[in-house]
């Protein structure tokens, strides 16, 4: 969210490394990626086709990995 567009969104985009985000279950993260969040800047990325959902699961795994990524990564 630390971009020109991201700074103007309301509600603010959450920090994906934050404990609050990391406490969400994998299923909750997947649901948010697939379906978006209504009335926010978070669009739905799901296509309704079960085959591409693996891409959403890759994002869930990436979000889980974010807290351990350092500046050199």
């Amino acid at each position: 969210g630390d971009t020109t567009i991201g700074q103007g969104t309301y509600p603010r985009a959450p920090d994906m490394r934050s404990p609050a985000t990391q406490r969400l279950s994998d299923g909750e993260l997947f649901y948010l990626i697939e379906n978006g969040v209504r009335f926010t800047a978070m669009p739905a990325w799901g296509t309704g086709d079960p085959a591409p959902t693996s891409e959403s699961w890759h994002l869930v795994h990436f979000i889980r990995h974010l807290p351990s990524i350092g500046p050199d990564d």
Side-chain angles (χ1 to χ4, degrees):
D2 192 18
T3 65
T4 302
I5 292 174
Q7 292 172 356
T9 62
Y10 182 83
R12 302 274 306 163
D15 181 346
M16 295 291 110
R17 300 166 298 167
S18 76
T21 302
Q22 293 295 318
R23 277 193 300 270
L24 295 172
S25 71
D26 289 351
E28 289 171 314
L29 289 172
F30 178 83
Y31 181 88
L32 293 171
I33 293 165
E34 285 284 302
N35 299 295
V37 180
R38 220 169 196 204
F39 306 115
T40 71
M42 174 60 190
W45 294 102
T47 63
D49 182 1
T53 61
S54 65
E55 293 175 1
S56 293
W57 284 114
H58 288 295
L59 284 172
V60 170
H61 294 296
F62 178 71
I63 290 168
R64 292 288 182 228
H65 181 67
L66 284 173
S68 65
I69 294 177
D72 295 333
D73 296 322

